[in-house]
Amino acid sequence: MLGRLVHKAVQVPHDPVPLAPPPVLFTGHTWASPSSPCPTRSSTHAFERTLRRLQHKPFMEHARTLKASRQAFNLLRVLPPEFCFTKSFTMALDVCAEARDLATGTALFDMAERTLSSMRRRPDLQMMTTYIKGANGLGA
């Protein structure tokens, strides 16, 4: 379903209410759903293969035209850290800057710092510049 969201880039209006937490939980090296705590190895492999093929750019471009900053934030929130890249966070911050949504942009930048530091990486210059561009657009 997440792949279909990326390719179709669901046209949902800006939703100020945060969505419920994702139904899939990451537990170490395996994925576990609340309904089936022990997935088979093949289902885990298929799920990870699908996440590797996930393209963030089409979704973020469409979210930017709709100014759907909350949806861009939620896409990166449900993905496990190893499938979130610096470029993905930068594109999501660009969506927040276009939508002039400083609250979501700040929450996204904090999430990016935590996620990247857990993988021993740091936000790059382009990400910081995009965040500053969003804050500058609001006069903050």
Side-chain angles (χ1 to χ4, degrees):
M1 183 171 147
L2 193 56
R4 190 173 53 198
L5 286 176
V6 170
H7 293 294
K8 287 190 175 182
V10 177
Q11 298 179 7
V12 179
H14 180 70
D15 184 14
V17 179
L19 297 177
V24 178
L25 307 170
F26 183 66
T27 57
H29 297 291
T30 60
W31 283 88
S33 170
S35 60
S36 63
C38 296
T40 62
R41 186 164 178 81
S42 62
S43 66
T44 303
H45 179 67
F47 185 69
E48 288 179 359
R49 188 176 61 229
T50 302
L51 283 175
R52 279 192 193 92
R53 284 191 263 168
L54 184 69
Q55 296 179 2
H56 303 169
K57 188 174 181 179
F59 182 86
M60 295 298 178
E61 286 177 347
H62 194 68
R64 192 167 122 211
T65 60
L66 295 175
K67 297 183 179 179
S69 60
R70 199 70 191 163
Q71 283 73 19
F73 176 79
N74 287 332
L75 173 70
L76 294 177
R77 188 180 68 162
V78 299
L79 291 177
E82 59 267 15
F83 295 102
C84 294
F85 309 106
T86 308
K87 184 67 176 169
S88 304
F89 286 116
T90 303
M91 288 187 287
L93 282 169
D94 196 37
V95 172
C96 294
E98 185 72 24
R100 294 178 176 253
D101 189 357
L102 186 61
T104 304
T106 302
L108 183 66
F109 192 77
D110 290 341
M111 182 176 73
E113 282 187 319
R114 284 192 313 270
T115 303
L116 294 173
S117 67
S118 71
M119 296 185 307
R120 299 180 195 273
R121 292 189 294 180
R122 298 177 63 190
D124 62 353
L125 184 62
Q126 186 177 6
M127 182 189 298
M128 291 183 202
T129 305
T130 306
Y131 177 65
I132 292 169
K133 180 177 79 170
N136 188 26
L138 289 171

